[in-house]
Amino acid sequence: MAGLLHVTERMREHTGGMKQIRVELINTGTEILLGSIVNTNAAWLGNRLFEAGFRVERETVVPDGYAINEAMRESARRADIVIVSGGLGPTSDDVTREALCDVCGVDMHRDEQVAERLKSYFERRGISIAECNFKQAMVPDGAAVLENSNGTAPGLVMPASGSLPMFILLPGPPSELKPMVEQSVMPLLEDLADEDIPHLRVFRLVGIGESDLQELVDDSLHQVEGLEVAYCARIGEVDVRLVGSEVALKQGEARLRILAGAYMLTPAGVSLEKAVVLHLAEQGLKVATAESCTGGLIAKRITDVPGSSGVFEFGWVTYADRAKTKMLGVPEDILKLHGAVSEPVVKAMAKGALDRSGAGVAVAVSGIAGPGGGTPEKPVGTVWLAWAFRGGETRTEMMLYPRDRGSFRQMVSQKALAGLLDARRREQVTE
Amino acid sequence: MAGLLHVTERMREHTGGMKQIRVELINTGTEILLGSIVNTNAAWLGNRLFEAGFRVERETVVPDGYAINEAMRESARRADIVIVSGGLGPTSDDVTREALCDVCGVDMHRDEQVAERLKSYFERRGISIAECNFKQAMVPDGAAVLENSNGTAPGLVMPASGSLPMFILLPGPPSELKPMVEQSVMPLLEDLADEDIPHLRVFRLVGIGESDLQELVDDSLHQVEGLEVAYCARIGEVDVRLVGSEVALKQGEARLRILAGAYMLTPAGVSLEKAVVLHLAEQGLKVATAESCTGGLIAKRITDVPGSSGVFEFGWVTYADRAKTKMLGVPEDILKLHGAVSEPVVKAMAKGALDRSGAGVAVAVSGIAGPGGGTPEKPVGTVWLAWAFRGGETRTEMMLYPRDRGSFRQMVSQKALAGLLDARRREQVTE
C-alpha cells in the first residue's frame, strides 16, 4: 500500500475548489454485453459510493479489448475519478492494465512484492503457479497497488495528474471487488467526499406489499421537505429508501415508524435472517427447521448470518415422505390420509423437530414448488407452514404463491422466517 | 404500426455493404446509477439481440436529464442502431422523447391514435386519466410508434437518416420492455441481421482454476480460425465462452473436450447442481447430505433443480456438536478428541447419513466459515469433506479457503457437489 498516501493529496489539487466530484464507472467484459452475466458490480458500487458521498454520473460497459482504452479516454475528459472493473486477470483477454498505460502514457514494470504474494498465494493452496499469472505482477509506472485478499489480481490506483483523473482499477469478480473496495478504496475516497453529503437510509419491511405500503406512508413522507422517497419491492419484502439531510431523514424515519413500524425490520435495513437471529438471541431462544419444499433454504439463510450457531443447532431436510416419518416421526397414516402438503403433516413435522432438537421454537414447511407435482386440489404454489413453540401452541398457515420454483421457494422461506418475528410481536402482546 | 415498413428499407441503405451492424444500448435512470435497481434490462437485451444476430458493442447508463442527449449524440457517432430504454413515461423527469427531437433536429406532434389508446387504457381500468399522461401521445416527426401492450408509454422508432443511426426508444419497466421487443422490435430487426450469425456456446468447468485451464486449452483454441474465446471465473467454477461459426464452434468444442473434458459439466453449460442431479438419476443413485458449516446450502442447491426429489430424500443440518451426535450418531469421544472440524468426524457424519437414509451416497462437510471460530491450528476457512458410498469406501478431503463467509460456503458446496461427479469418473475408471 506504499504510494497511496500521496494519492488523495494529488486528487485534492486536481478537483480544486469544486463542490461535487464527478465519478464514472467502466465495466469491462464481453460477457456483460452478451447478457451472460448481470452487472451486479455496477449496482453495488453505485450504492456504496453514494453512501460515501459520491454519485456515479455515468456507467459504461465495453467488451474486452481496445474499446476499454477508448472508454477510459472519454471518461477521463468528463470525470475526476474513473473506476474500471474487470480485465485484470491472467488471461489474454485481460487488457485493462495495458489500457491504463496507454491512456496515461506510461510503461509498466514487474513488482517483485506482488510477484512474491502471487507465489505464496498458490503455495498456500499447494498448487504450482502457471507462468501467465505473473502478468498480474506488472504494475504501470506511478500506480499504487491495492492488495487482493480474495484472489490473485491486485487492484491499481493511478493518481490524478495534469488533465487526467484518478483511475481506480478493480478485479471483476464481485467476491474480490467488494472486499477490495471496502478495505482499500473507501479509506482512500472518504477524505475526498463532499462534506454536505445527502444521507441515505434504507428500511426493510416484511409482511406488507409495495402498493399497500405506499398507500399507507407515501403522502406523509412527501410532506417532509427535501426528502426523496423510493420503494424497491422484492419477493416478500419492500425496501423504502430515504435520501435527504439528516433532519429530513429523522422526520421521515419517525413517520415511517408510526405508520408502518409493525412491518419494519430492526435494526433498520437489516436482512430478514439477521433480524431473526438477533431476535432469537435476545430472547434466548433456539430454532430448529424442518423443510420439505424449501430443501434447506431456511436453514441456509439462518446460517448465512455470522454467529447463528448461538440460535440454530438442528435442521432437517425431509424431502421424501419416508424421510418425514423416519427423521421426524410424522405418522404414516397422517401422510396417507392428508398428503404431505397438509396442515396435520406440517404440524407433526414442527413438533417432531421441536422434540428432537430441544429448541424453543421449530418451523416446518411442506409445499409444491413445481413445475411438476401439482393437482387440481393442490396446485403448484400451495404450501403449509407451521411454527411450534415449546410449552405452547402450534400456529399454522396456508399460502398459495404460484410462481416459478425459485421465487416460490424464496417466498416460502420469507414467510417461514417472518413467522419467527411475528411470534415476538404476538408474545409481546400477550405478556 | 404504420410507418414501420419503410424503416428497415432505410436502415439497409444506411448500413450499405457493411458486414456487422453496430448496436449500442443506452439505459436512462438515476435509480440504476444509485444502485437501487440492478440493470437486468441490459443483460436481457444483450442476450436477446445476440440470439438474433446482433452484438451490443457498448452500453451506457446515464441519469434522467440532459445527459441523455449527450449519450445519444455520442452513440450516434459510433453505431448503426441505438436502443434507448427509459424516460418515456408521463412525469417531468421523463425526457427521452425530447432528447430524440433534439438529436435528430425534429419537432413533435400529438398523435391522436395514441391519445385514444391512452384514454381507453385508463377507461378499461375505471381510472380517470391525469392530463400529464397525454405527454405520452407526443410523437417526434418522422418516428413510428410501437404499441405498449403492458403499460401506457408507447415505444418509438426513428429511421436511420443521413449520418444518424436508427433510434429505438423503449419503456424502462422490464414487464413493458420485454414484450415490446418480442412483438415489435425483433420483427423489425430480423431482416437486418447478418445472415452469417456467429453462434455462442458456454461450457462450464469445475475442479480447475482459470489460469490452469487457460494454460491447458488457450493455445489450442486460438488455433481454430474465427473462434473467439473468453473465460469467466466464479467461485469454484470457470465458464469458457466460444463464439464463432458453427464449424469453428464444433472444432473448438472438440479441442476443449480432449484437453479438459474431465472438468466439463454435461450437458454443456449446465449448472453443477443440475449436472449432479442428472448424473445421480442416470446411475439410479440417491444422495443424502450432512452439513455443518454450509448449513443447508448443499441440500438447497440440489433441490433448486426441478425433479431432484428422484435423487434426494434426506438431509441433515447438524450445526451443533450435539446435533451431530444426536442426529447422525457421531460418537462424542471422537468429537472431543479431534474436534468437529476433523476427518474422523466428517467420516462419521457421512456414514451416519448413509445408514439412516438408505441412500447410495452421502456427502458430509464440517468447517469454519468465520468470521469467528478460527484457531491457529484450524484457521477460518478450514473444512473437511467426506463422501461415503454404499458398500464401498469413504473418501475424505481437507481444504483451506480463507475467504468471507459467503464465498467460503459457496466454495465448500461446489467441492461437495463436484465430488459426487468425481465419483462417476472414478467409477468409470474402475469398472
Side-chain angles (χ1 to χ4, degrees), chain A residues 30-40 42-48 50 55-64 67 70-71 74 78 89-94 121-122 124-125 127-133 149-151 173 175-176 179 228 232 241 243 286 289 292-297 299-309 312-320 322-323 326-327 355-359 370-371 405 409, chain B residues 30 32-40 42-48 50 54-63 67 70-71 74 78 200 202 210-212 214-215 218 222 228-235 241 243 286 289 291-309 312-320 322-324 326-327 355-359 370-371 400-407 409:
Chain A
T30 306
E31 68 277 12
I32 304 174
L33 291 169
L34 289 181
S36 304
I37 62 166
V38 174
N39 194 354
T40 54
W44 186 83
L45 273 167
N47 188 44
R48 190 65 192 83
F50 185 79
R55 236 176 228 238
V56 174
E57 301 202 341
R58 187 188 280 230
E59 179 204 316
T60 307
V61 184
V62 288
D64 302 312
E70 287 172 24
E74 287 165 27
R78 289 182 299 254
T91 70
S92 54
D93 57 357
D94 292 312
Y121 179 96
F122 281 89
R124 275 202 309 278
R125 280 157 188 78
I127 312 166
S128 66
I129 183 167
E131 191 55 36
C132 66
N133 277 295
S149 50
N150 294 287
S175 62
E176 301 177 24
E228 261 181 68
C232 181
R241 178 187 298 261
V243 180
K286 286 196 165 74
T289 55
S292 189
C293 58
T294 45
L297 175 58
K300 183 259 175 196
R301 290 185 61 185
I302 293 171
T303 59
D304 275 341
V305 182
S308 48
S309 58
F312 176 81
E313 296 179 331
F314 289 76
W316 286 266
V317 184
T318 57
Y319 216 55
R322 71 185 190 92
K326 209 168 162 193
M327 295 166 96
D355 292 346
R356 280 160 179 75
S357 65
R405 186 177 178 89
R409 283 160 46 104
Chain B
T30 306
I32 304 174
L33 291 169
L34 287 182
S36 303
I37 61 166
V38 174
N39 194 352
T40 54
W44 186 83
L45 273 166
N47 190 44
R48 189 65 192 85
F50 186 80
F54 298 90
R55 220 181 244 232
V56 175
E57 300 202 342
R58 187 188 281 226
E59 179 204 316
T60 307
V61 185
V62 287
E70 286 173 23
E74 287 164 27
R78 289 182 299 253
L200 166 74
V202 178
E210 186 184 15
S211 55
D212 286 340
Q214 198 182 350
E215 293 259 317
D218 201 52
H222 276 104
E228 257 183 73
V229 186
Y231 306 85
C232 181
R234 279 182 304 274
I235 293 167
R241 207 182 49 241
V243 179
K286 287 196 164 74
T289 55
E291 307 181 56
S292 189
C293 58
T294 46
L297 175 58
I298 300 170
K300 183 260 174 195
R301 290 186 61 185
I302 293 171
T303 59
D304 274 341
V305 182
S308 48
S309 58
F312 177 80
E313 296 179 333
F314 290 74
W316 285 265
V317 184
T318 57
Y319 216 55
R322 72 185 189 91
K324 294 176 183 71
K326 208 168 164 193
M327 294 167 97
D355 293 346
R356 281 160 179 76
S357 64
L400 179 64
Y401 192 75
R403 302 281 183 101
D404 65 278
R405 186 177 178 89
S407 303
R409 282 160 46 106

Side-chain angles (χ1 to χ4, degrees), chain A residues 368-374 380 405, chain B residues 306-307:
Chain A
I368 304 151
V380 167
R405 186 177 178 89

Side-chain angles (χ1 to χ4, degrees), chain A residues 382-403:
Chain A
T382 308
V383 62
W384 272 98
L385 302 100
W387 298 264
F389 300 90
R390 175 147 313 278
E393 101 242 66
T394 297
R395 282 186 303 132
T396 60
E397 205 173 318
M398 203 272 271
M399 182 176 59
L400 181 64
Y401 192 75
R403 302 282 181 98

Side-chain angles (χ1 to χ4, degrees), chain B residues 274-293:
Chain B
K274 176 112 189 203
V276 165
V277 168
L278 290 173
H279 163 63
L280 293 172
E282 236 174 70
Q283 307 282 309
L285 276 176
K286 287 196 164 74
V287 62
T289 55
E291 307 181 56
S292 189
C293 58

Side-chain angles (χ1 to χ4, degrees), chain A residues 250-297:
Chain A
K250 264 193 192 146
Q251 288 179 21
E253 176 170 353
R255 284 164 186 243
L256 199 57
R257 276 197 194 285
I258 290 166
L259 296 170
Y263 308 104
M264 272 170 72
L265 298 180
T266 45
V270 89
S271 69
L272 176 55
E273 47 268 35
K274 177 112 187 204
V276 165
V277 168
L278 290 173
H279 163 62
L280 292 171
E282 239 174 68
Q283 307 283 307
L285 277 176
K286 286 196 165 74
V287 62
T289 55
E291 306 183 55
S292 189
C293 58
T294 45
L297 175 58

